[in-house]
Amino acid sequence: MSIDSRIPGFYKRSLDERRCEIAGRRGLSTDTVEAAFEKGLTPQMADKVIENVIGVYALPVGVGLNLRLNDRDYLVPMVVEEPSVVAAMSNAARMVREGGGFYGEADDPITTAQIQLWDVADPKAAAEAVTAASAELLAGANAAFPDIVKFGGGAREIETFDRGEGCFVVHLHVDVRDAMGANMVNTMAEALAPRVAELAKGRVGLRILTNLADRRCVRVRCSAPAEALATEGITGEAVRDRIVDASRFAERDPYRATTHNKGIMNGIDPVVLATGNDWRAVEAGAHAYASKSGVYRPLATWRSGPSGALEGRIELPLALGIVGGTIKVHPGARTALELLDVKTARELALVAAATGLASNLAALRALATVGIQKGHMTLHARSVAATAGATAEEIDRVVKAIVDAKQITLEAARKALETLRR
Ligand code: NAD
């Protein structure tokens, strides 16, 4: 079902009105959305998910707006504790929308298992023997997890690496379709390891996937017209050039590149969390990929295009699933996927990458103009007021007092609250 992700004034509405609007646009009942995000995962369900459970821990879920990707609109559920992330992403996505939106493509969903051996005396002969037995090994991998073949995936390729001093590694590349695939390929790797050791004349070491999922990359690009970037007092062209300078800085300086990439993960992680995916796996893969040249580099870069628009590109590995793990158990994850209405794991990865690129644009635009603190601290004022003890009825007035006084501190919020109560 096609929807419009542009909802002017959404932030001004009440929580109930927002739920109604989002559920209505997606054709879901408000009760479904409420059950998923009000009640959500119960302690009893959680007790079946991890060990030593004592309860559940909630985080806010917001909806990122304005995202248009490959000519389709998406409402993006985002789970995050940091104020301003959802607003900033939605704002940048609106600028990109004026240039037609995001476009991208994702690799096949390949997850790779490593079967590692020790004591391989002749790595060249081992590589030849393993490569010659590829067909047998691929068939053996599929026999260890036949379900994946039913879904159209399966083991695709064998690769070998000599890591020196008798350390020999076999990569098993598996098309895991709509799963993240860790358990699946780990099962295959354990099943194949004895035969691989026999072929390579070595001793079995570790058998587990690699989180450097570099065969499962996503590439997204966008173009924002310079006029859309203008701020009060700074022309769009000037903002564009400052964003390009900020990108070039990150391309030269790993300290800056790390924060640049954190700004990208500000968009990606909330989608990964909302959809019940493994954020540690995504983080490990993203930062390893950023270092693939030997120097830590930005995952997204920005340039001025031939028409004068700001053009951005992002590339990173994203091993995400829409089935498997605890995705179907968690009511929030299930409903987040319904809101997104993605049909494949690749489509989810594209949405996450576009959200990351939008977040990066928002951060760079703020940094290149008024600085990050102005918008961030204004939005942060609400959590400062809540920390000071303001009730739902008091919070708006406390926020106004500390924002007007340009004193967004806990001390100022406590004083404003005291004054208000007096
Ligand atoms: P999984 O074990 O739940 O396997 C996916 C299941 O989905 C399979 O049973 C498969 O048959 C089924 N399925 C249904 N429809 C499918 C479709 N269209 N495409 C593919 N499969 C389909 O989950 P997984 O994805 O193999 O593993 C993910 C889990 O493994 C995550 O919870 C992750 O945290 C965890 N894990 C991660 C690591 C790591 O990243 N290093 C290591 C171990 C485990």
Side-chain angles (χ1 to χ4, degrees):
M1 187 176 72
S2 115
I3 50 145
D4 187 356
S5 66
R6 173 123 186 79
I7 316 178
F10 186 67
Y11 69 99
K12 291 186 203 148
R13 302 198 203 166
S14 71
L15 205 141
D16 284 340
E17 285 168 344
R18 282 189 223 127
R19 273 185 192 154
C20 264
E21 177 74 52
I22 293 296
R25 287 202 181 213
R26 225 335 114 233
L28 299 174
S29 76
T30 315
D31 288 351
T32 307
V33 176
E34 195 177 297
F37 301 126
E38 187 85 44
K39 193 161 157 254
L41 187 76
T42 62
Q44 291 69 31
M45 291 177 194
D47 200 23
K48 308 275 182 295
V49 176
I50 64 160
E51 311 74 39
N52 299 354
V53 167
I54 56 167
V56 290
Y57 179 99
L59 283 171
V61 51
V63 180
L65 301 178
N66 305 322
L67 193 92
R68 192 160 179 76
L69 164 68
N70 289 342
D71 300 323
R72 223 205 97 174
D73 271 34
Y74 293 88
L75 296 166
V76 187
M78 299 175 76
V79 170
V80 66
E81 87 299 342
E82 187 179 347
S84 88
V85 165
V86 178
M89 174 271 161
S90 304
N91 195 22
R94 190 182 43 73
M95 293 167 199
V96 169
R97 205 177 167 82
E98 289 180 34
F102 297 87
Y103 289 92
E105 71 281 320
D107 290 341
D108 281 341
I110 299 290
T111 290
T112 302
Q114 296 194 291
I115 302 166
Q116 182 248 335
L117 307 175
W118 287 114
D119 306 335
V120 174
D122 186 346
K124 197 163 168 285
E128 281 167 11
V130 170
T131 308
S134 280
E136 173 205 332
L137 293 171
L138 296 177
N142 287 336
F145 208 104
D147 263 9
I148 192 56
V149 181
K150 273 202 316 223
F151 295 117
R156 295 283 186 256
E157 194 187 324
I158 298 276
E159 241 188 322
T160 62
F161 299 89
D162 172 17
R163 297 299 188 206
E165 297 187 349
C167 179
F168 184 81
V169 186
V170 175
H171 280 191
L172 170 68
H173 302 291
V174 184
D175 183 330
V176 294
R177 292 287 91 196
D178 292 319
M180 183 263 190
N183 291 326
M184 217 179 263
V185 304
N186 291 348
T187 304
M188 291 178 170
E190 290 189 6
L192 289 193
R195 177 66 180 138
V196 168
E198 192 180 12
L199 289 161
K201 300 191 170 48
R203 171 169 61 86
V204 174
L206 305 189
R207 300 140 299 158
I208 189 167
L209 84 156
T210 167
N211 287 113
L212 178 49
D214 58 4
R215 294 228 178 172
R216 202 171 177 173
C217 281
V218 186
R219 284 161 288 276
V220 171
R221 62 196 180 281
C222 70
S223 161
E227 317 80 80
L229 303 168
T231 63
E232 228 170 87
I234 313 180
T235 66
E237 285 75 16
V239 176
R240 175 200 63 204
D241 293 344
R242 291 185 195 186
I243 292 174
V244 172
D245 282 346
S247 174
R248 291 170 56 232
F249 173 25
E251 290 158 43
R252 289 162 177 268
D253 180 319
Y255 288 88
R256 175 57 212 154
T258 306
T259 320
H260 181 99
N261 288 345
K262 191 277 181 181
I264 292 171
M265 301 319 282
N266 265 352
I268 294 178
D269 285 340
V271 179
V272 175
L273 266 168
T275 55
N277 272 283
D278 185 335
W279 72 93
R280 290 86 56 209
V282 165
E283 283 284 335
H287 300 295
Y289 196 72
S291 316
K292 73 177 183 290
S293 65
V295 177
Y296 189 88
R297 308 222 351 128
L299 293 164
T301 52
W302 298 89
R303 289 292 183 270
S304 177
S307 66
L310 176 71
E311 295 184 353
R313 290 174 183 276
I314 186 169
E315 179 178 297
L316 82 163
L318 277 174
L320 299 180
I322 58 167
V323 295
T326 45
I327 293 168
K328 298 284 181 203
V329 180
H330 197 300
R334 278 203 312 268
T335 305
L337 283 166
E338 282 183 70
L339 288 177
L340 272 170
D341 195 31
V342 286
K343 300 284 181 275
T344 62
R346 291 165 78 196
E347 192 182 354
L348 174 60
L350 281 163
V351 172
T355 308
L357 192 56
S359 298
N360 185 221
L361 171 58
L364 295 185
R365 180 168 173 270
L367 282 168
T369 56
V370 290
I372 206 84
Q373 286 306 77
K374 189 167 181 275
H376 189 79
M377 289 311 278
T378 308
L379 293 170
H380 182 56
R382 284 189 296 173
S383 42
V384 173
T387 310
T391 62
E393 291 72 42
E394 294 165 334
I395 212 154
D396 284 347
R397 284 199 281 169
V398 174
V399 166
K400 185 168 180 342
I402 62 177
V403 168
D404 286 352
K406 295 194 171 62
Q407 286 282 315
I408 303 169
T409 64
L410 191 54
E411 190 50 31
R414 284 201 180 114
K415 282 198 184 127
L417 193 58
E418 257 173 48
T419 311
L420 181 69
R421 286 180 180 169
R422 249 189 264 128

